[in-house]
Amino acid sequence: MSVHDTLIIQGQLQDMQRFSMFLCVAAGLVAACDSETASFPGIAPVRVTVDDRDFDVYSDGRTAQAIRMSFDVDVSRERARLRSMLAIRQVTGCEIETDSVGGDQVIVTVDLDC
């Protein structure tokens, strides 16, 4: 086997390793997308759509969490939080204690005032 052949085989092995790593990461992300959250064990999410964005909302009556399930090119933190808060209000029917809002563009957690 020539040095050239050895380099080609090593390159193919590296490509296979990268692809395997990609598959593992992708499988982990897909599995995590619709699993229950640690904060709300045993509580099934309610899927709701706000401004063409899908959210899974979890609530135990005191607190709630909205997880954006759809892709969003609008990365404005403020607009993302407002949409999440609207999703929570739509599902729970409760007011949100505005000083309790935490999270980011994907996951927002709030305290409820019912």
Side-chain angles (χ1 to χ4, degrees):
M1 182 180 299
S2 71
V3 172
H4 181 268
D5 291 338
T6 302
L7 291 175
I8 289 175
I9 291 171
Q10 285 177 343
Q12 290 172 340
L13 286 174
Q14 287 176 343
D15 288 343
M16 288 172 50
Q17 287 173 333
R18 285 187 196 110
F19 185 69
S20 295
M21 180 66 77
F22 168 77
L23 288 178
C24 289
V25 170
L29 290 174
V30 168
C33 280
D34 201 19
S35 58
E36 68 182 32
T37 67
S39 301
F40 299 90
I43 296 176
V46 176
R47 176 76 46 104
V48 65
T49 302
V50 174
D51 292 339
D52 296 323
R53 282 115 174 138
D54 295 326
F55 294 87
D56 276 358
V57 177
Y58 297 83
S59 176
D60 63 7
R62 296 182 322 273
T63 59
Q65 184 176 74
I67 302 173
R68 183 173 41 81
M69 302 302 290
S70 53
F71 180 74
D72 193 351
V73 294
D74 180 5
V75 293
S76 164
R77 184 179 179 129
E78 187 62 28
R79 284 191 298 269
R81 279 184 162 197
L82 289 173
R83 287 186 192 107
S84 296
M85 291 166 63
L86 286 171
I88 290 169
R89 287 189 67 196
Q90 186 174 334
V91 169
T92 65
C94 299
E95 294 297 319
I96 294 171
E97 295 181 13
T98 54
D99 61 336
S100 72
V101 179
D104 55 27
Q105 290 92 332
V106 178
I107 300 174
V108 171
T109 304
V110 301
D111 290 333
L112 300 173
D113 183 13
C114 294

